[in-house]
């Protein structure tokens, strides 16, 4: 299921040069070029116990990332200082919002989008950027909330996006596809960051520089195709290490096949 040394050691960190292969509707073909990224709930510039920063830890344990997913709210939230640090490395940023707001009404979705717009403005996140709202597996969720969030964020000039478990046994699949049936013009503008499946060998792994999936096979909601998934988080809680202050930190492993997602929807 996985191959060794699949990535070139000297992969360019310029996503504009990347190419993707068309996917067959009948059979998912192997992808020769997968663009690597990571996401983490700690700062990229935080010093670790081995006297390197967390960004360098990601590079040493995988390859140079094309993008880094970071939360823009809550504990260890993204700051302007960290944005400058990540950009100085030639890396793009995928903003994530992990929020505990009840997700049960269209009004609640619109209100949250307005709050995110304020945060994005304060951080200097340019219009057009995709902002991924994290949907947890056990959260209450309605089609109306997704619609309210997406429509309001579009009005603010950003690209609505969701980071969720796309396995059909969880609620996101059902509610997102209801939205595609009732408000396709809004929902087809949304990007999806699939956090499933993650196989056992990718969970808490310590050898990610030797292994990655051979095929682009994230779970996809029933109303779209696999090729429509923007990002796939295939590995989680990898390469645990303590910070200089003794707090354990990890990062998740992500892939993209469409370079335009990185070029046009990240900053």
């Amino acid at each position: 299921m996985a191959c060794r040394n699949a990535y070139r050691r000297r992969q360019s960190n310029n996503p504009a040069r990347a190419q993707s292969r068309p996917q067959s509707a009948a059979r998912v073909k192997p992808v020769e070029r997968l663009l690597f990224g990571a996401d983490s709930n700690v700062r990229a510039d935080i010093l670790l116990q081995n006297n390197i920063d967390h960004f360098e830890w990601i590079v040493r344990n995988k390859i140079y990332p094309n993008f880094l997913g970071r939360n823009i709210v809550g504990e260890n939230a993204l700051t302007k200082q960290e944005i400058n640090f990540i950009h100085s490395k030639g890396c793009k940023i995928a903003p994530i919002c992990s929020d505990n707001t009840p997700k049960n009404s269209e009004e609640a979705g619109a209100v949250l989008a307005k709050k995110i717009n304020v945060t994005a403005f304060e951080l200097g996140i340019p219009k057009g950027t995709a902002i991924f709202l994290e949907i947890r597996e056990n959260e209450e969720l309605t089609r109306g909330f997704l619609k309210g969030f997406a429509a309001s964020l579009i009005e603010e000039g950003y690209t609505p996006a969701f980071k969720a478990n796309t396995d059909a046994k969880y609620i996101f699949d059902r509610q997102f596809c209801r939205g595609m049936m009732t408000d396709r013009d809004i929902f087809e503008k949304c990007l999806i960051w699939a956090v499933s499946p993650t196989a056992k060998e990718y969970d808490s792994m310590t050898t990610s520089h030797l292994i990655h999936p051979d095929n682009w096979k994230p779970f996809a909601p029933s109303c779209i195709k696999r090729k429509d998934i923007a990002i796939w988080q295939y590995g989680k809680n990898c390469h645990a290490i303590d910070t200089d202050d003794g707090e354990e930190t990890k990062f998740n492993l992500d892939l993209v096949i469409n370079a335009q997602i990185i070029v046009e929807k990240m900053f």
Side-chain angles (χ1 to χ4, degrees):
M1 184 169 104
C3 62
R4 292 182 178 272
N5 300 321
Y7 283 99
R8 296 187 182 94
R9 286 260 177 206
R10 296 189 178 185
Q11 180 191 22
S12 169
N13 67 341
N14 181 0
R17 297 175 58 188
Q19 296 179 352
S20 61
R21 293 212 167 192
Q23 301 296 298
S24 166
R27 177 175 175 270
V28 178
K29 297 179 180 179
V31 178
E32 287 189 358
R33 185 66 182 273
L34 294 168
L35 302 175
F36 168 69
D39 66 277
S40 174
N41 61 1
V42 298
R43 300 196 323 268
D45 56 353
I46 195 169
L47 189 66
L48 304 179
Q49 65 180 23
N50 54 3
N51 200 38
I52 63 173
D53 58 62
H54 198 242
F55 186 90
E56 179 61 25
W57 181 245
I58 294 173
V59 174
R60 289 193 183 192
N61 284 286
K62 187 60 181 175
I63 54 175
Y64 215 93
N66 289 277
F67 68 92
L68 187 62
R70 287 285 290 115
N71 204 335
I72 61 174
V73 296
E75 188 177 3
N76 296 324
L78 184 70
T79 63
K80 287 186 176 180
Q81 178 182 353
E82 186 185 359
I83 289 172
N84 292 335
F85 173 81
I86 296 171
H87 285 169
S88 74
K89 302 295 184 179
C91 183
K92 289 215 170 186
I93 302 170
I96 303 167
C97 177
S98 183
D99 187 272
N100 293 323
T101 299
K103 298 175 174 58
N104 54 10
S105 71
E106 187 170 332
E107 181 182 6
V111 169
L112 179 57
K114 298 291 185 184
K115 291 180 180 178
I116 290 175
N117 176 60
V118 173
T119 301
F121 175 80
E122 292 173 346
L123 289 173
I125 298 175
K127 300 294 184 178
T129 301
I131 299 180
F132 291 86
L133 177 63
E134 188 165 22
I135 307 294
R136 300 178 183 88
E137 295 172 359
N138 59 353
E139 281 190 296
E140 181 182 2
L141 182 70
T142 65
R143 174 202 60 82
F145 174 87
L146 297 177
K147 177 186 176 182
F149 175 83
S152 184
L153 207 60
I154 290 170
E155 288 180 2
E156 300 296 345
Y158 292 100
T159 299
F162 301 104
K163 185 172 188 257
N165 192 326
T166 44
D167 189 322
K169 67 184 179 182
Y170 296 110
I171 196 169
F172 178 78
D173 176 287
R174 183 165 63 257
Q175 298 304 327
F176 180 80
C177 288
R178 284 180 177 174
M180 285 290 282
M181 289 189 293
T182 60
D183 300 278
R184 178 172 290 272
D185 58 326
I186 294 175
F187 280 76
E188 67 183 2
K189 293 181 175 69
C190 300
L191 300 184
I192 305 297
W193 187 334
V195 300
S196 56
T198 54
K200 184 178 180 180
E201 59 265 39
Y202 303 130
D203 191 351
S204 305
M205 70 189 308
T206 59
T207 56
S208 64
H209 63 292
L210 296 176
I211 190 169
H212 80 275
D214 292 320
N215 298 314
W216 180 254
K217 281 196 171 183
F219 291 150
S222 54
C223 50
I224 63 175
K225 299 181 182 299
R226 275 197 174 114
K227 66 181 180 63
D228 299 320
I229 296 294
I231 306 174
W232 175 21
Q233 184 191 98
Y234 70 93
K236 62 181 181 179
N237 300 325
C238 300
H239 298 283
I241 188 173
D242 281 359
T243 67
D244 194 44
D245 294 329
E247 298 292 329
E248 186 179 71
T249 178
K250 307 170 184 177
F251 63 88
N252 302 317
L253 303 167
D254 302 288
L255 291 174
V256 172
I257 56 171
N258 182 357
Q260 293 307 111
I261 297 297
I262 299 173
V263 174
E264 298 179 356
K265 300 303 180 183
M266 298 184 186
F267 79 105

